Amino acid sequence: MPLKIICEDITKINCDAIVNAANSTLLGGGGVDGAIHKAAGKNLLAECRTLGGCKTGEAKITKGYKLPAKYIIHTVGPRYKDGKHEEESYLRACYRNSLELAKQNKCKSVAFPLISSGIYMYPKDEALKVAVDEISTFLFKEEMLVYIVIYDKSNYKIDEKLFNDISAYIDKNYVESILLEKCLNFNYDIDFEEDEQIVSAVESEYKKRSLDDALKQLDESFSQMLLRKIDEKGMTDAECYKNANIDRKLFSKIRSNRFYKPSKTTAIAFAIALELPLAETNEMLMKAGFALSHSNKFDIVIEYFIINENYNIFEINQALFALDLPLLGV
Ligand code: AR6
């Protein structure tokens, strides 16, 4: 099951377990730890006293008491000094051990704060990268719904270079598209170069196929195209829906109903999972009644990742989240 990034107070989340960024005494503190103890009530502290503390990178579980969550998994992140004191491997261990504990306790859904990224000073963009990396590795093997909970969105950071590249791409294409619209309204002549490139890529894709194949594929539905592409790529169904950040149940629905009409974000998620180039992505989207356009920031960001052949859905979602745009899959 998928990874979701959300903006929330973790104490309000209704899922099987929430994770606490604790300290090694497990007896409460500031930040998210303080908020969790406050919301869960005094019985949490009483149970924590019986646990004998917890080492950095390890995790222990308690009941959720007054929280909507059934369990609290307490993990102790590293204090960030300079990145040369095994901070990253301790932080990775926090996610791995917490997820393992959730699995042992049959949790189907777990919510994480960005461990170590507050009082322990781990740089937020790097903390996020570690979180996404460890959680997505876990989700390729296991079925679970995992949330990364961002408390203070204004502090949310993705890799600076990526952010700047995407912003430049949006500026160029979005602004051009708005100008184009204005020019068309005033009947100015305009060079349609980039959109022509897309049209000619689609055309040449069609030319490569025999007429027979092309005719057959004309009335192929979204679901049929998806299953054909999975076969052609030699993927398993699970590889495809996991790479698409889509849960197994939704995939089964699409698989069993050839007329299933997915949402635009689901359709794009599958195109990304299949690593389709732009022309084929548009072809697949058309089957579901959608298209990528330059007058929509979301579409431009998707196009940016496809053109740069970056098909990592979790990275794409981090960027979409940072830009307040809808996420793929989930
Ligand atoms: N919901 C979700 N996230 C939150 C919440 C909340 N209610 N409150 C804060 N955060 P921190 P650490 C975010 O400092 O860096 C404690 O005293 C916050 O914005 O809580 O691992 C412990 O006892 C930040 O991104 O934990 C330890 O001594 C993230 O949670 C020490 O702090 C983690 O920030 C642990 O420090």
Side-chain angles (χ1 to χ4, degrees), residues 100-120:
E100 200 48 48
L101 205 48
K103 183 182 149 194
Q104 283 164 18
N105 286 276
K106 304 198 170 8
C107 296
K108 294 205 167 73
S109 53
V110 181
F112 281 90
L114 265 191
I115 299 163
S116 283
S117 72
I119 293 165
Y120 282 177

Side-chain angles (χ1 to χ4, degrees), residues 170-183 190-191 194 294:
I170 292 176
D171 280 352
K172 180 172 179 286
N173 292 288
Y174 190 57
V175 171
E176 263 181 13
S177 144
I178 300 294
L179 282 176
L180 172 72
E181 215 169 278
K182 287 208 171 120
C183 290
I190 192 95
D191 182 9
E194 272 195 25
H294 274 184

